[in-house]
Amino acid sequence: MDNIDFIFSAPGKAILHGEHAVVHGKVALAVSLNLRTYLRLKSNSTGKVSLCLPNIHTFMSWDVSSLLPLRPSTAADPKDMCELDAVLVQRLHHFTGFPSEMPDTCAMAVLAFLYIYISVFAESRSLPSFSLSVWSALPPGAGLGSSAAYSVCLSAAMLSLRGSISSTLVGTELTKGWSKEELELINSWAFQGERVIHGTPSGVDNAVGTWGGILRYHAGTITPLSRVPVLRILLTNTKVPRSTKSLVAGVRDKIKKFPSVMHPVLESISAVSVTCELTLEEIASDPMPEHYAVLEELIDINQHHLQVLGVGHASLDTLCRTTLAHGLHSKLTGAGGGGCGITLLRPDADCSVVQNVIQELKDCGYDCWETSIGVPGDRSCPPFP
Ligand SMILES: Nc1ncnc2c1ncn2[C@@H]1O[C@H](COP(=O)(O)OP(=O)(O)O)[C@@H](O)[C@H]1O
Ligand SMILES: C[C@@](O)(CCOP(=O)(O)O)CC(=O)O
Ligand SMILES: [Mg+2]
């Protein structure tokens, strides 16, 4: 194989509305963040594949010859990937020794990599050897879509190495310039990576990681929103660890237990997403203070719904209470149970109020920073840690 050395990157995301409900076919609105995950792949002829994941302190290496027997006999058609290849997942658990029950951070990341690598090369005569490093500005496991950004990078790298998507540039970021078909292919393999990590993802996170921007996601249909205003938000990481996989499973159990109680809640969350989208369109054409009051009320309504679904947390209650004391409205973002929340700032929000809120949240032990959504992301590459 030619001497290949490339870097890919993919953004994290914030879900404005619709988390969890989107897993059950409802509408979600999500936006990419200017926090990204970066992947560097260098081909070699050592006969080994090495995986370097400094953010989660994971460094592993395998002989390519030991991975060859794990390959499925037929390659999956990425356009028809309704489910994970259960036999391959089983083989990977057996090969790595990671338990099938509640895999940890390292296990999920390694299994997602091996799954995509082995599947994408299922029909080639040999497996390529290379060293692959992934690093990120996103906190892992905090609701900002780090698993999806990781899966998108893996997918793009493996498809590019396989020659299934174009890779005309070397040593630089390739996210611009791919065709719609190539992006769909990247997205579909990233979705498989998300399945390994999440169990039953909706697909919204990998869609944002692949296409970026702000989009509506509804039952697999991705609609980019073209007329949106720039919104100022605070992102707060409560630093309470949680796993998307178990939170999504908990919501599923609750729906199963109380279907007639929970379905209307999911429906209402969907209506919140739709109403928010309409309000954003109105702000983009003729912004009025009343529009921001609507956005704030929708945030409060959705936060209560998410608590009913069982994905609230005392740390998120503290976030909402602290910001509300300053007239600012917050909700969790992503899977909840801790992790991150978003707080809407009106365009004319007083600088000193914002600084005071940030300080109070930091005093709670949280990380907190202001960002803008609806603007093109920063694509610069931070140094490898
Ligand atoms: N930079 C990274 N390096 C390696 N694995 C990562 C990285 N970022 C995320 N992951 C994988 O994604 C998992 C977190 O996914 P998840 O629970 O969905 O949280 P979120 O997507 O909200 O950050 C981690 O446990 C890890 O397996
Ligand atoms: C809860 C959910 O709606 C979003 C999960 O996002 P994150 O992994 O917490 O960043 C799950 C999904 O859409 O697959
Ligand atoms: Mg995730």
Side-chain angles (χ1 to χ4, degrees):
M1 185 166 288
D2 296 343
N3 217 6
I4 290 171
D5 181 356
F6 54 59
I7 292 179
F8 292 106
S9 87
K13 61 94 228 267
I15 296 184
L16 297 181
H17 289 293
E19 48 274 273
H20 288 290
V22 67
V23 176
H24 304 277
K26 308 301 178 198
V27 180
L29 297 182
V31 60
S32 57
L33 295 174
N34 55 3
L35 294 170
R36 300 179 75 90
T37 294
Y38 299 84
L39 176 152
R40 181 170 193 177
L41 184 146
K42 287 198 261 185
S43 66
N44 60 41
S45 51
T46 59
K48 285 185 185 296
V49 167
S50 49
L51 184 63
C52 171
L53 306 174
N55 297 118
I56 59 164
H57 315 289
T58 298
F59 306 92
M60 300 191 80
S61 182
W62 304 270
D63 283 327
V64 163
S65 57
S66 68
L67 297 171
L68 270 172
L70 302 175
R71 288 190 303 173
S73 46
T74 51
D77 174 359
K79 301 233 163 44
D80 187 25
M81 292 189 294
C82 297
E83 284 174 16
L84 278 180
D85 177 342
V87 177
L88 176 56
V89 174
Q90 197 61 39
R91 281 185 195 153
L92 290 176
H93 278 287
H94 189 256
F95 174 77
T96 55
F98 292 131
S100 309
E101 300 309 315
M102 277 301 150
D104 64 12
T105 302
C106 159
M108 290 191 288
V110 169
L111 292 169
F113 162 68
L114 288 174
Y115 186 94
I116 296 176
Y117 168 52
I118 290 172
S119 304
V120 167
F121 285 93
E123 283 190 340
S124 36
R125 287 182 48 228
S126 58
L127 289 171
S129 59
F130 52 81
S131 66
L132 187 145
S133 308
V134 181
W135 68 103
S136 186
L138 291 161
L144 301 184
S146 77
S147 60
Y150 174 70
S151 298
V152 171
C153 285
L154 290 178
S155 167
M158 293 303 105
L159 289 167
S160 178
L161 196 61
R162 173 87 171 89
S164 308
I165 57 172
S166 55
S167 93
T168 45
L169 300 171
V170 174
T172 184
E173 189 199 335
L174 302 184
T175 47
K176 283 180 189 155
W178 276 317
S179 67
K180 184 171 172 282
E181 289 71 26
E182 288 173 317
L183 288 168
E184 279 168 359
L185 195 57
I186 294 168
N187 188 44
S188 58
W189 280 106
F191 188 42
Q192 297 299 68
E194 278 281 85
R195 278 185 164 140
V196 174
I197 295 173
H198 279 197
T200 54
S202 63
V204 64
D205 288 8
N206 46 281
V208 181
T210 302
W211 276 278
I214 179 162
L215 52 86
R216 168 164 26 97
Y217 190 90
H218 185 201
T221 303
I222 301 158
T223 312
L225 306 187
S226 46
R227 289 168 42 76
V228 282
V230 172
L231 290 182
R232 287 173 71 193
I233 58 165
L234 287 184
L235 267 179
T236 302
N237 185 359
T238 65
K239 298 195 210 157
V240 173
R242 78 318 162 270
S243 143
T244 300
K245 188 177 177 140
S246 47
L247 286 153
V248 168
V251 172
R252 189 177 301 282
D253 288 348
K254 211 168 246 245
I255 295 169
K256 213 168 148 196
K257 195 166 169 193
F258 303 110
S260 59
V261 177
M262 291 302 153
H263 282 296
V265 178
L266 300 176
E267 207 54 65
S268 180
I269 292 177
S270 209
V272 166
S273 298
V274 171
T275 309
C276 178
E277 183 186 343
L278 291 174
T279 311
L280 290 177
E281 277 172 12
E282 286 172 12
I283 295 178
S285 57
D286 184 15
M288 307 271 216
E290 305 86 270
H291 291 135
Y292 289 93
V294 170
L295 292 182
E296 288 168 347
E297 219 168 324
L298 292 174
I299 285 175
D300 294 342
I301 292 168
N302 198 4
Q303 176 62 17
H304 285 111
H305 283 338
L306 288 160
Q307 278 172 332
V308 172
L309 292 182
V311 297
H313 189 270
S315 61
L316 295 162
D317 297 343
T318 302
L319 163 67
C320 294
R321 218 181 28 251
T322 306
T323 58
L324 198 57
H326 295 270
L328 304 176
H329 298 249
S330 308
K331 67 175 273 292
L332 67 85
T333 188
C340 287
I342 52 173
T343 306
L344 180 68
L345 300 177
R346 293 189 181 214
D348 56 355
D350 193 311
C351 218
S352 62
V353 170
V354 175
Q355 284 319 311
N356 287 341
V357 174
I358 291 177
Q359 191 52 53
E360 278 183 37
L361 292 170
K362 286 185 174 167
D363 291 344
C364 296
Y366 303 164
D367 285 339
C368 182
W369 63 101
E370 184 178 341
T371 188
S372 294
I373 56 177
V375 287
D378 166 16
R379 290 171 174 266
S380 60
C381 177
F384 183 65

